[in-house]
Amino acid sequence: MGTPGDNFRVVAGRYRLEARLGRGGMGIVWRATDQLLGRQVAVKEIAQDDSLSEEEARRQRDRTLREARAVAQLRHPHIIVVHDVVEQDEQPYIVMELLDGGSLADRISTRGPVDAAEAARIGVALLGALRTAHAAGVLHRDIKPANVLLGTASDEADSERVVLTDFGIAQVVGATTLTESGAFVGSPEYTAPERMSGLGTGPASDLWSLGALLCTILSGESPFRRDSLGGILHAVVFDEIRPPDEARPLLPVVRGLLERDPERRLEAAEAERMLRAFLDTGRTPARASASTSASGRTPKLTSRRTAKPAPGYTPTQRDVPRGQSVPSPSTPVPSPTPAATAEQPPRRSTRGVLVAALLVAAMAGAGVSAAALLLRGDGDGGVAKGASPVSSAPLTSTSAGTSPSPSRTPSATPSATARTPNTPTAPSGYRLAHDPDGFSLAVPEDFVRVPQGERIFYMSPGETFRLGIKMSDPETGGPLAVMKSAAAKGADTNPGYHDGKVTDTTHYGHPAALWEFSWNGFSTAEGPRHTYDMCWEEGGRMYDVWVSAPVGKVREAKEYFDVALDTFARA
């Protein structure tokens, strides 16, 4: 908390800004005094984008004021009270009630996770707030622990009060987004997959965020937390969803809220009924009307894709470890298991990778997308003549000098789905390389083609990432035999080779194998590396695509690998 200075700034001739309470992406929050009514208030000074033209800035101010006034009309005991919306010197300010209790995030940070009963109480309060907002056509779009306040006023009732605040990026249904400037807004760990996938937002998106919040306050960490933005996007849209053990008492609610398909997601009224039942009985009932699959069974929570492939795309087995099969685009992806052998993660469409790339570029302000592919060269990968291939293993979490944890490898389900002709296009941050050797694929814009005999490489500056491609005649035993042979020679071609794994799979119905391993790199300066390699037979030819990268950049590399496989096409 800031310290009041001698010279206070007065806004709109009435609100004296006395101390800065905090700062976020949407602006600065001040402790202030309403000099007209003689009461303490909180004033949010909305941040302005200096890069906007004068006309764009004016439109943004108008949207801010219009939608903030809509939020001010909301009346609910668990929604922050907005007293006033003012403008001074073309700067918008939102005047709100002042609560000194701190946020739910502060509580978790200082006192640890809450128990199931407290989580249920908080959930009921927030569901009531959201139902009121949604009925008024207002979407919050940034539900997270930091935006939930716990009142600590002198009276006992207020000390128990749960308050949803910071509607700073709220959206009025049918209106232009409050913070619309071409950038994504929100907190990735709590953002619904349909928003990540560019499929729009609605009340169900806020309910997904509440599900993630419940997991966080019960365990102390969001189930979608990863060590990079790209990793978070992947976790939200594609990875297995594993609610923490602490969420078990409320699991039917958590699972219902974290349903990837918004049409199947638990509705607010039903979620509130279930949480109230838990508070009354100590047991959470099953949802009254769970959506069911064609088989009549409720689909599993994990790995359901909501984004459809972009026109002209056919998803490929980029995420599938060698030795695993690829689900058809129309078949729900099976739930992952912890096992690391012969398992297949849910495949993503190129549209999904494109969306992740666009989001990262928008959110991080970077010129490259989140998708990054692991490359293999001599010693890095490629099944030809002693080179070790890299598998298209699932996205895994790693730290420097360690191989990815097998616990994140999802399960495989065989599929005979054949690849259909497609006309791939490059995601944001990529270019479609039409290689003179008779194939095409999307590679990052700064990757350079480097032919090496039978292999073609596309390398990043400094060769940090090495993407390799090789085409050859089929060999006896098929891809699995070729990859196993290469793995047996892994120590000869890859210094310090370890944790190698070859799995049998299919690639759109074609025989395939995936090889994943770690090694020490070609020099001390280069350092430990990790490689993914996919080999398959198609149309009387054998294809091999691999990516190699430093172990500390496995997530980025895996995304490069995924995009390469997703867009690979024969000439």
Side-chain angles (χ1 to χ4, degrees):
M1 179 182 297
T3 302
D6 295 330
N7 297 316
F8 298 125
R9 180 155 54 104
V10 178
V11 175
R14 175 176 176 177
Y15 303 105
R16 185 176 64 187
L17 309 186
E18 298 172 346
R20 190 165 73 178
L21 297 176
R23 184 184 186 113
M26 292 303 299
I28 301 173
V29 179
W30 300 86
R31 175 187 292 274
T33 296
D34 180 346
Q35 298 181 119
L36 180 62
L37 298 180
R39 64 181 176 183
Q40 292 285 293
V41 295
V43 175
K44 172 173 282 191
E45 181 179 2
I46 303 298
Q48 298 295 291
D49 187 348
D50 294 335
S51 67
L52 298 179
S53 68
E54 184 175 341
E55 177 61 21
E56 290 170 333
R58 184 192 62 76
R59 286 199 300 267
Q60 185 183 59
R61 288 194 302 273
D62 289 345
R63 288 195 299 267
T64 299
L65 295 170
R66 180 176 64 250
E67 299 194 15
R69 286 169 184 144
V71 173
Q73 303 305 308
L74 301 178
R75 291 291 182 268
H76 191 277
H78 299 296
I79 294 178
I80 194 77
V81 175
V82 176
H83 296 308
D84 201 357
V85 182
V86 299
E87 184 178 14
Q88 179 169 306
D89 298 329
E90 299 185 337
Q91 172 68 54
Y93 296 85
I94 302 175
V95 183
M96 303 169 289
E97 65 176 317
L98 178 66
L99 293 175
D100 285 330
S103 71
L104 187 53
D106 295 332
R107 173 174 176 172
I108 301 304
S109 175
T110 57
R111 296 163 53 186
V114 303
D115 60 22
E118 178 68 356
R121 185 185 75 85
I122 293 170
V124 167
L126 295 179
L127 283 164
L130 288 175
R131 290 176 67 185
T132 295
H134 294 164
V138 176
L139 310 177
H140 189 284
R141 301 198 306 157
D142 200 19
I143 307 292
K144 60 183 179 182
N147 286 340
V148 178
L149 300 181
L150 301 175
T152 57
S154 56
D155 63 283
E156 183 177 351
D158 202 35
S159 66
E160 297 294 325
R161 187 177 172 207
V162 176
V163 181
L164 180 59
T165 186
D166 207 345
F167 281 79
I169 65 168
Q171 180 179 359
V172 177
V173 174
T176 306
T177 303
L178 171 68
T179 56
E180 188 175 67
S181 60
F184 177 85
V185 290
S187 304
E189 291 180 39
Y190 300 92
T191 299
E194 61 268 22
R195 288 191 63 208
M196 294 289 194
S197 300
L199 300 181
T201 186
S205 298
D206 281 345
L207 296 175
W208 166 283
S209 302
L210 178 59
L213 177 145
L214 290 175
C215 290
T216 300
I217 65 176
L218 283 163
S219 67
E221 182 175 272
S222 164
F224 306 108
R225 178 164 297 176
R226 300 293 187 271
D227 58 9
S228 70
L229 183 54
I232 293 172
L233 300 181
H234 188 284
V236 169
V237 180
F238 305 113
D239 274 359
E240 174 190 11
I241 301 174
R242 294 183 178 180
D245 292 340
E246 294 86 350
R248 189 171 301 278
L250 307 179
L251 197 58
V253 175
V254 170
R255 285 189 177 277
L257 294 174
L258 293 182
E259 166 59 62
R260 281 196 169 106
D261 185 344
E263 295 297 324
R264 297 172 182 248
R265 198 166 299 152
L266 192 62
E267 294 184 352
E270 179 67 359
E272 185 174 341
R273 179 193 71 82
M274 295 166 70
L275 290 178
R276 287 190 183 278
F278 174 81
L279 290 173
D280 291 340
T281 67
R283 298 184 62 182
T284 303
R287 59 191 298 182
S289 56
S291 298
T292 56
S293 63
S295 65
R297 295 178 300 174
T298 300
K300 293 186 178 181
L301 176 68
T302 59
S303 308
R304 179 175 177 81
R305 295 174 293 136
T306 59
K308 296 180 180 179
Y313 276 91
T314 298
T316 62
Q317 182 176 352
R318 300 177 339 230
D319 298 354
V320 183
R322 296 188 180 284
Q324 303 172 6
S325 59
V326 184
S328 66
S330 61
T331 303
V333 183
S335 58
T337 64
T341 59
E343 296 174 340
Q344 169 183 344
R347 291 186 304 101
R348 295 168 291 171
S349 68
T350 302
R351 172 179 172 81
V353 175
L354 170 59
V355 168
L358 292 173
L359 285 174
V360 171
M363 297 166 67
V368 296
S369 70
L373 298 172
L374 283 173
L375 246 177
R376 296 189 24 170
D378 277 320
D380 283 335
V383 293
K385 301 189 190 290
S388 33
V390 175
S391 71
S392 95
L395 183 64
T396 50
S397 173
T398 65
S399 57
T402 62
S403 61
S405 168
S407 64
R408 292 196 180 277
T409 306
S411 61
T413 297
S415 170
T417 303
R419 180 199 298 267
T420 57
N422 58 12
T423 307
T425 58
S428 175
Y430 289 77
R431 60 184 174 87
L432 194 60
H434 295 279
D435 197 274
D437 274 21
F439 63 87
S440 64
L441 78 171
V443 301
E445 291 176 344
D446 59 349
F447 275 33
V448 176
R449 184 179 188 270
V450 181
Q452 293 184 4
E454 294 179 313
R455 301 183 187 120
I456 302 299
F457 286 92
Y458 286 87
M459 299 189 180
S460 68
E463 301 185 6
T464 301
F465 298 98
R466 301 194 283 265
L467 168 62
I469 307 97
K470 182 184 181 296
M471 297 181 294
S472 61
D473 294 329
E475 298 186 27
T476 303
L480 182 61
V482 171
M483 295 299 262
K484 285 185 174 181
S485 175
K489 302 173 183 177
D492 297 331
T493 56
N494 302 276
Y497 173 86
H498 62 93
D499 295 327
K501 179 183 66 176
V502 175
T503 48
D504 187 17
T505 186
T506 58
H507 185 54
Y508 280 99
H510 302 291
L514 176 70
W515 184 20
E516 180 180 0
F517 62 92
S518 297
W519 53 297
N520 292 343
F522 289 124
S523 67
T524 302
E526 183 174 64
R529 298 179 68 83
H530 194 77
T531 298
Y532 297 101
D533 193 333
M534 169 67 81
C535 177
W536 73 94
E537 285 186 12
E538 181 178 358
R541 297 284 285 170
M542 181 173 287
Y543 298 89
D544 188 28
V545 175
W546 65 94
V547 177
S548 170
V551 293
K553 297 182 180 292
V554 166
R555 290 187 183 278
E556 185 180 359
K558 180 58 170 61
E559 293 293 344
Y560 289 144
F561 184 56
D562 288 348
V563 171
L565 287 176
D566 217 18
T567 58
F568 185 90
R570 297 173 293 163

